[in-house]
Amino acid sequence: MVAVGFATVMKPAVMIGTEDRIMNRWAHFAKKYSFLPLIGGGSTKIQPVYVVDVASAIIAALKDDGSSMGNVYELGGPEIYTVHELAELMYETIREWPRYVNVPLPIAKLIIRWFQAIAMPREILLKKVPFPLPNPDIFNLDQIHAFATDTVVSENALTFMDLGVVPHKLKGYPVEYLIQYRKGGPQFGSTVSEKVNPDSYP
């Protein structure tokens, strides 16, 4: 957003939503290969944010009295997760038993560089090995670098609160799009956000 030469900068954390590039890809990979690779054990800390909240922050900045112009906002969700904890939330939502393969960071980088150096097309290689190869959509050098360093909102940064926006927690409606990956389909069982009253049991 630019006005009178001043830019309002929004720096969102990893965004979660219907067409996101993290939990969707994790769920697809886990369903296809029955495991999920965790770079460095999944100990890296991230602060994922619901994409709708980012949109709300942009709208709030557009509608304010100009006080946001020239400011930089770090938009992170209300909770900090490790990559492993976020993967657990994904598995919980799709109702699959968590299975992980821990990939040390140096090994992960070697694997990717090996893929990049291969001369033959990947489709040919897939037919020559007796085991599933990692999907580049989730197992690529950019993601390895991203998950090698903690990315959380800075202590003194301007945030959602400075724009009058309260971000949602991820567990519940923001990740219910993942129910499409359930073995029995989207209608298999109740959704995460549903509350079951014990008195309703027969």
Side-chain angles (χ1 to χ4, degrees):
M1 294 173 286
V2 180
V4 199
F6 292 97
T8 301
V9 179
M10 303 292 183
K11 298 174 66 177
V14 173
M15 290 191 287
I16 302 298
T18 307
E19 298 180 359
D20 70 49
R21 298 182 180 183
I22 177 169
M23 296 187 81
N24 264 310
R25 291 178 177 180
W26 284 357
H28 183 266
F29 189 98
K31 293 292 291 185
K32 186 174 183 179
Y33 298 114
S34 299
F35 76 94
L36 188 69
L38 283 182
I39 308 302
S43 60
T44 302
K45 295 178 181 178
I46 56 177
Q47 199 166 344
V49 60
Y50 186 31
V51 66
V52 172
D53 294 332
V54 175
S56 297
I58 294 172
I59 293 171
L62 286 169
K63 290 183 174 181
D64 72 10
D65 57 4
S67 58
S68 64
M69 288 194 303
N71 291 333
V72 177
Y73 294 88
E74 295 186 18
L75 306 180
E79 299 168 303
I80 295 175
Y81 289 82
T82 63
V83 172
H84 177 255
E85 289 169 343
L86 192 60
E88 287 285 294
L89 176 59
M90 179 274 295
Y91 270 116
E92 177 186 344
T93 307
I94 69 173
R95 298 203 171 134
E96 293 284 345
W97 189 261
R99 297 181 181 88
Y100 302 105
V101 173
N102 182 24
V103 184
L105 183 60
I107 300 299
K109 289 182 178 179
L110 283 175
I111 292 173
I112 296 303
R113 290 194 178 110
W114 178 70
F115 271 116
Q116 293 174 338
I118 293 174
M120 69 178 72
R122 185 173 184 274
E123 290 75 14
I124 298 177
L125 181 65
L126 282 170
K127 297 176 181 179
K128 291 182 175 291
V129 295
F131 54 85
L133 292 173
N135 186 333
D137 283 345
I138 73 161
F139 206 66
N140 57 61
L141 205 53
D142 288 338
Q143 284 214 358
I144 288 172
H145 286 310
F147 289 152
T149 306
D150 294 345
T151 52
V152 298
V153 173
S154 305
E155 184 177 350
N156 298 316
L158 296 174
T159 65
F160 280 112
M161 302 305 292
D162 297 287
L163 292 166
V165 176
V166 179
H168 293 77
K169 292 184 176 181
L170 288 189
K171 187 172 183 179
Y173 181 75
V175 295
E176 285 192 354
Y177 62 90
L178 292 174
I179 65 175
Q180 63 182 304
Y181 295 101
R182 289 179 182 172
K183 186 177 295 184
Q187 303 305 317
F188 180 68
S190 63
T191 57
V192 174
S193 64
E194 287 179 333
K195 304 297 182 183
V196 178
N197 186 344
D199 296 335
S200 65
Y201 290 123

